[in-house]
Amino acid sequence: LVWTSASLYVYFIILFTAYILIICSNSTIVCLIWIHKNLHEPMYIFIAALLMNSVLFSTNIYPKLLNDILSDKQIISLSACLLQFFIIYFLASSEFLLLAVMAYDRYVSICKPLQYPTIMKNSTVTVLLVLTWFVSACHIAVPAILSAETKLCHLTMKGIFCNNAIYELLCLHSGVITIYGVVALIDLAILPVLFIIFTYTKILLIAYHSCKEVRKKAAETCLPHLLVLISFSCLCAYDISIARVESNLSKTVRLLMTLQTILYNPLFNPLIYGLKMKEISKHLKKLFCTTKVI
């Protein structure tokens, strides 16, 4: 892909601006949740964890990508590439698990409101968060270690960062890695999505037969999670499939589609939670809307 110097600087400015927006928007909501005591509830704590994932995901990709845009040669060591691969999929899989935990939290809150304080205690929230990140890290560490021990036959990667395109560099397409990848996909993505669908179906059925207030609460708190789930699932489906079909796509199309995976979700999450979550939206308005003192 041939770029002129002017176009390189344009892409650099666009991506740098996007990175700053991602860091500022996500961090602002996380800080609001940290500062305001009325947001110290399980639902908002899980949202803060989700947004921190976006910050870490972007920081794992953007600095190296921005450096590559301005460099004559785009080079990365195998160990750094595998680390980037691990962090990308560790955070992606933990996002699915976090969304599943958030769905469970909403189910208990709406369907079992009297039991909610005893079920979703601070200790429970801590355990769920630790398990989410621990399970994701353990699952993703295995293919990263197996890939590190496999000989490389190619040194040029088609992707702009180290995603599952690294498997094309390996001399031998390991059946163990493939089978484990399918198992990890089921454990970390498919099962959490099925659990979320089941949970929200139960919530919608109970809300439908309940009073208007319960229906309103269900819509206000569940809709943002569903929107995030749908958008993130689409991006992950693309990332999984692109390694199989990318040879049929032009470099420009592949670049533009890949950029969506690092632009869309980290910017979409704070926008959705900032606008759709009533309490967060209220604090954002107080923060950015100046009031005149008479």
Side-chain angles (χ1 to χ4, degrees), residues 16 34-35 51 89 93 107 151 172 203 206 208 230 250 266:
F16 180 75
W34 178 274
I35 293 168
L51 298 183
Y89 290 106
S93 57
Y107 169 76
K151 186 180 177 182
L172 187 65
I203 291 172
I206 291 174
Y208 178 76
I230 292 167
S250 70

Side-chain angles (χ1 to χ4, degrees), residues 82-83 85-86 139-149 166-167 177:
L82 288 171
L83 177 62
F85 167 88
F86 170 79
H139 271 75
I140 305 304
V142 174
I145 293 170
L146 291 174
S147 298
E149 295 177 348
I166 66 170
Y167 293 136
I177 294 178

